[in-house]
Amino acid sequence: MSESQSHSYVKYSNIFFALCICTVLSIIFDVLDLKEKDVVGIKGFILLAFLVLAVACAKALFVMIYFMHLKFEGKWKYVLLSPTIVLAMGLTIAITPDIGIHYYTNESPQIDYLEQAQQAALENDSAKNAENNHVE
Amino acid sequence: MGLPIPHSKLGMWLFLATEIMFFSAFIGAYIVLRAGSPGWPTDPSITHIHIWAGGLNTFVLILSSYFVVLALESMKADNFAKARRYLCLTLLLACVFLGIKAYEYSGKFEHDILPGHIPETPRMAIDKSMREMKQVVDNRTIALANIPLPEKLEPAKPDETIELSGVTDEKTEALAPPVEELRQKLQAELKAPDTSESRKKALVAYFALDNKYRELNTRALDESITLPEMNQELETLKKNPDYGAFLAPVHHLQPIIYGNLFASVYFLLTGFHALHVVIGMILFLIVLVQGRRLCDKWNDYVENIGLYWHFVDLVWIFLFPLIYII
């Protein structure tokens, strides 16, 4: 009994450290500021989202498999959990075409303002560049 | 026949299955709304979302999950005193989590990053500042006239302030206190010869503020003032020694595109998660008040609340990258 006890203690602490390392990894991805950069042809934002969500999935699996003991449970776990996962993904996929991806252009004051701000930023940049060139 | 697990554990797993759908509906809606809203606010200086707070909270929850596992292991080894210690630590960490969350929420309240409060364009920001300034002037009028302050005030003449469609609060429209009458009374008092010097000074400051408000409001109405100019004006007014202190409730103007949607989703997700943390704390308290009576009859209970707590941790594991990083 005591031997298996100490064994599981070591195992759980390993999982805890793995989870901590994963958290630090997510923070490192944030600090690297991938959003504005393009890495090997992939848009930085998509790469960042992919990386941090992959880390989150790994952490979730660690917690579910070891802390929630799913590794040691019977086959009932598949029967019970798979429908919920399917329904959860289904909802997101179902609302994506209308709200997430538009075939039409949104018309709202926010979008107008965004366009104005982007336009102003572009003009500012080109003005600055022109000034720099002038100085050189 | 049946599953080789206790009924209570099966019940908990079924409940957690419904919880997965509950949270994934919110998280899924957030991801989709986020993807469909170009210019979603991500700049920490605008949203006041700090990665260190989220990262620290992630660590706190992971550590508490680890302690719950150790508590269950101690229960199974009949070491109940040790189990109690670990459960106590878990409860403490839950408090720390809520403390950090409360700190973050207070920052949101301070900067008025609340659903329905955020201006999304410069015009809306100017409109909001004029409403806040009108509120300050009205409150000052009532304070000087020494009558009890009503709960909420609305401009005496709605046509006096700029109103954009959709911004008007119809509920408070009917409540129009006679602020204008009070103002005239104060004006008469200022001119009266028997008014004391200190009172006169307060009245002069009030009328200076009132005039400044009227001037700015006129400029806002005919759209001859830009957002940076308005911010500049408000900063200067706030530094005024006579009435600057009254203007504290007027916020620095910062339009946030999709800020209201962002705030709604933020409070919905983190609010429901925090509610789950509070319920988890109650569940831990139930077992902790048993004190020395804790025995192996509680093994299943501790295992089930452990499962619940790990689920709360699991939700945060996804909320952290989605809200704080992406």
Side-chain angles (χ1 to χ4, degrees), chain B residues 54-85:
Chain B
L56 197 60
N57 260 350
T58 311
F59 174 74
V60 165
L61 274 193
I62 289 173
L63 188 61
S64 71
S65 254
Y66 176 54
F67 284 157
V68 170
V69 174
L70 295 185
L72 180 62
E73 288 297 313
S74 310
M75 291 286 285
K76 282 181 179 165
D78 288 339
N79 192 344
F80 299 110
K82 200 173 180 183
R84 270 209 311 276
R85 268 205 303 281

Side-chain angles (χ1 to χ4, degrees), chain B residues 114-120 124 256-265:
Chain B
L114 301 171
H117 284 224
I118 303 165
E120 302 203 16
M124 284 159 88
I256 309 173
I257 303 174
Y258 287 114
N260 292 298
L261 194 57
F262 156 80
S264 305
V265 172

